[in-house]
Amino acid sequence: MPEEEKQERVNVYDDNAVKQIMDDWVRKVVLKRNPQEDFTISNCKILIGGISCLLGVYAHYYVGPWGTNARIILTFCVLAFALLQLVLKYIAHFVEKDFIINIASKRPYKVRTAFSKETGNYEIEIVDKQTESSGSPKSYKTSKSITEYFDQTGLFYGNILELHIIEALDKFVEKVNQ
């Protein structure tokens, strides 16, 4: 990353802060290398959320006469709202999973990270989107201890993480091109 960025310090005993700072750096490095992010899933979620909000507002402020038609309209709005919320949960859980970034390039891929509290290892996995739906998607996974990226006082060495990310991206490209 650019040298003008200040050194970042984090409480190394706060697992969420450690993972957040590392995920931010992974996103920065990946976007620096491939600046074309794929927002298709996010845009679909925004559209579905907007429609469900409109249904909720319509049901709340329905101005027609109260009767059988009103009950049908309100029932439809409530059921459609619930169904759309289930669709959003499905997308978040089964489509997006725990990927932190989707890249739209000649060979689109996704990046997933995980931080194990027990072992203290930070794992980066890069998955090829074109082979993801097959039984064995092409991917590259690497795992390193966070002690390589932080000192005892919590000072974060992003340049070391950047080198590991670039190395992982290069090995992923090699694996995909085989």
Side-chain angles (χ1 to χ4, degrees):
M1 295 279 69
E3 285 72 37
E4 65 269 4
E5 286 192 28
K6 62 180 177 127
Q7 289 283 324
E8 298 179 73
R9 190 174 300 275
V10 70
N11 180 358
V12 291
Y13 300 106
D14 182 1
D15 299 329
N16 293 326
V18 169
K19 184 166 183 336
Q20 182 65 47
I21 194 170
M22 295 179 77
D23 285 353
D24 288 346
W25 270 77
V26 169
R27 286 184 54 84
K28 286 179 192 176
V29 172
V30 169
L31 286 173
K32 182 175 151 185
R33 183 115 179 225
N34 296 304
Q36 209 172 9
E37 189 171 356
D38 184 8
F39 295 105
T40 307
I41 296 173
S42 297
N43 292 342
C44 288
K45 284 174 48 181
I46 290 170
L47 179 67
I48 292 169
I51 292 169
S52 65
C53 287
L54 289 175
L55 284 170
V57 168
Y58 182 75
H60 184 75
Y61 293 109
Y62 176 71
V63 198
W66 188 251
T68 307
N69 287 342
R71 285 189 183 100
I72 291 171
I73 290 171
L74 293 177
T75 302
F76 169 77
C77 288
V78 169
L79 291 177
F81 180 85
L83 179 68
L84 290 173
Q85 293 304 308
L86 285 173
V87 169
L88 284 174
K89 291 290 184 189
Y90 176 84
I91 290 171
H93 190 71
F94 293 107
V95 178
E96 280 186 327
K97 298 179 185 169
D98 54 352
F99 291 102
I100 62 170
I101 190 167
N102 291 318
I103 296 297
S105 61
K106 291 179 189 172
R107 188 76 183 213
Y109 61 91
K110 300 177 180 183
V111 179
R112 168 190 294 147
T113 61
F115 176 57
S116 172
K117 297 174 185 177
E118 292 81 25
T119 62
N121 287 343
Y122 184 73
E123 182 179 282
I124 301 170
E125 182 180 13
I126 306 165
V127 179
D128 181 31
K129 286 169 70 172
Q130 292 178 349
T131 60
E132 184 182 27
S133 59
S134 70
S136 58
K138 292 184 178 181
S139 67
Y140 178 77
K141 188 184 291 188
T142 182
S143 180
K144 304 265 185 187
S145 173
I146 64 162
T147 58
E148 294 188 35
Y149 311 119
F150 293 93
D151 66 9
Q152 291 177 342
T153 64
L155 188 63
F156 176 63
Y157 298 109
N159 55 346
I160 297 171
L161 179 60
E162 180 177 3
L163 293 174
H164 287 160
I165 297 166
I166 291 171
E167 177 185 338
L169 287 169
D170 290 340
K171 288 184 179 178
F172 167 73
V173 169
E174 286 177 20
K175 189 172 185 177
V176 166
N177 291 333
Q178 287 180 349

